[in-house]
Amino acid sequence: MSRTPQAQTRTQTRKVRAAEPPLDVAAWRPAPFLPRSDARDPALIFVIAVLCFLACLTTLFVIAGDRAAGGWAAQLTGEATVIVRASGGETPDAAAARAAEALAGVPGVAEARALEREKAYELVRPWLGDVSDLDDLPVPRLVAVTLDRETPATGEQLTGALKAQGLDAVVDDHSVWLDDIRRAAGVVRWTGAGIFLLIAVAAGAVVAFATRAGLAARRDVVEVLHLAGAEDGYIARLFQLRFAGVAAVAGAVGAAGAALLGALLRLVGGGEGITPALPIAWIDLLAVLPCPLLAAGVAAVAARLTATRLIRDL
């Protein structure tokens, strides 16, 4: 007796099922809502790593510039220059020597010495041009004053000591230069802070765009989770953790690149870093260490806010 086609199909189905291995329920795990890796992750990591690299590099330059400004300010604070003009038939060299002697006795002055005539000539030569003979010109002499670091003498004290000796002299205590240096250092600090803030906003915008794309690709799954009773905060937290981890990896890559470049500049520049204007120290490279945490924090906030707003609109 021949079997019907339906019976033959059932028999073949039983054979196929018998050949399949049994399902291990204990080892079975559902697929994650957000996979650990995504085809778009390399591009996202690259963009965030570049932004973190620029942020760390800006931080290193701001630190180096602030150190340079502090060094210049310290040098100018501890020094003063006195311009001495001869009068009453006195020779310029004699007037400078007498001014140095008068200033050496002022409290708060560590040392006062008259500079050589050639140094005075070199200072005025850029203004007068290449003049072969300056002996006939009334070139003033200079007195370099080194002030006490603890209790430096003021410009008024130096001027009073010179007037007491009847000297025609002008004291330059470098206060004008100090104000300019401090103002420039403030501009550098605020500019660096502004650039750092712009980079953080750009990184947040990139993460927000990636979060929006991830939600759009999983819109149906989000709706199913809603039907299953999942709260908006739970779904948003999945995106928050996902992109925080990606940003932390990218931040580590960008920080490592900036530290490597900083170390290279330190080696090339020697003891003064790149130049005396940007003296990078080895300890400055530690400033890039918080970058992965900051990148993860910015990404977490951006992903959380974006996901929460979009999930509510689904």
Side-chain angles (χ1 to χ4, degrees):
M1 180 179 178
S2 61
R3 289 182 296 177
T4 62
Q6 291 81 2
Q8 292 178 355
T9 301
R10 286 194 295 269
T11 302
Q12 293 174 356
T13 303
R14 291 192 191 99
K15 292 180 179 179
V16 171
R17 290 179 177 174
E20 293 177 352
L23 177 64
D24 188 358
V25 179
W28 180 81
R29 293 290 185 274
F33 172 59
L34 289 177
R36 294 183 178 179
S37 60
D38 193 289
R40 291 166 292 191
D41 281 356
L44 181 61
I45 290 176
F46 174 77
V47 173
I48 297 179
V50 170
L51 293 175
C52 291
F53 172 79
L54 295 176
C56 292
L57 210 58
T58 301
T59 302
L60 291 178
F61 285 160
V62 169
I63 293 175
D66 191 68
R67 177 182 293 107
W72 295 337
Q75 290 179 2
L76 292 178
T77 302
E79 296 178 355
T81 304
V82 178
I83 304 173
V84 182
R85 292 182 291 267
S87 61
E90 189 177 24
T91 64
D93 292 334
R98 197 156 59 90
E101 183 180 357
L103 294 173
V106 176
V109 174
E111 182 186 8
R113 62 185 183 88
L115 299 181
E116 295 79 2
R117 180 181 59 181
E118 289 73 15
K119 291 187 177 181
Y121 284 172
E122 290 299 325
L123 292 175
V124 300
R125 194 182 299 276
W127 304 97
L128 300 178
D130 190 9
V131 180
S132 58
D133 189 6
L134 294 175
D135 293 334
D136 296 334
L137 296 177
V139 179
R141 296 296 187 266
L142 300 179
V143 176
V145 181
T146 302
L147 303 177
D148 188 358
R149 295 290 182 181
E150 301 296 331
T151 57
T154 62
E156 290 76 9
Q157 291 176 314
L158 299 179
T159 302
L162 293 170
K163 288 183 177 180
Q165 297 296 325
L167 291 166
D168 183 9
V170 177
V171 177
D172 181 9
D173 59 355
H174 304 162
S175 58
V176 176
W177 302 103
L178 278 172
D179 293 339
D180 291 341
I181 290 175
R182 288 166 180 163
R183 190 181 303 110
V187 171
V188 170
R189 283 192 293 267
W190 283 109
T191 302
I195 294 175
F196 193 90
L197 181 61
L198 286 176
I199 293 175
V201 172
V206 170
V207 172
F209 178 80
T211 304
R212 184 184 296 272
L215 271 173
R218 297 168 177 82
R219 181 187 182 96
D220 297 338
V221 181
V222 172
E223 292 178 352
V224 172
L225 290 175
H226 274 157
L227 294 176
E231 297 181 353
D232 294 346
Y234 171 78
I235 303 174
R237 186 163 57 252
L238 294 177
F239 283 91
Q240 180 182 9
L241 296 176
R242 171 80 169 79
F243 289 109
V246 172
V249 174
V253 173
L260 183 62
L261 180 58
L264 180 62
L265 294 175
R266 179 67 173 79
L267 290 173
V268 171
E272 295 181 342
I274 308 176
T275 65
L278 288 174
I280 296 179
W282 289 113
I283 196 173
D284 296 343
L285 303 181
L286 298 178
V288 305
L289 291 180
C291 182
L293 295 178
L294 293 177
V298 172
V301 172
R304 179 81 180 197
L305 295 177
T306 305
T308 301
R309 185 177 66 255
L310 294 177
I311 290 172
R312 291 174 182 172
D313 296 337
L314 292 178

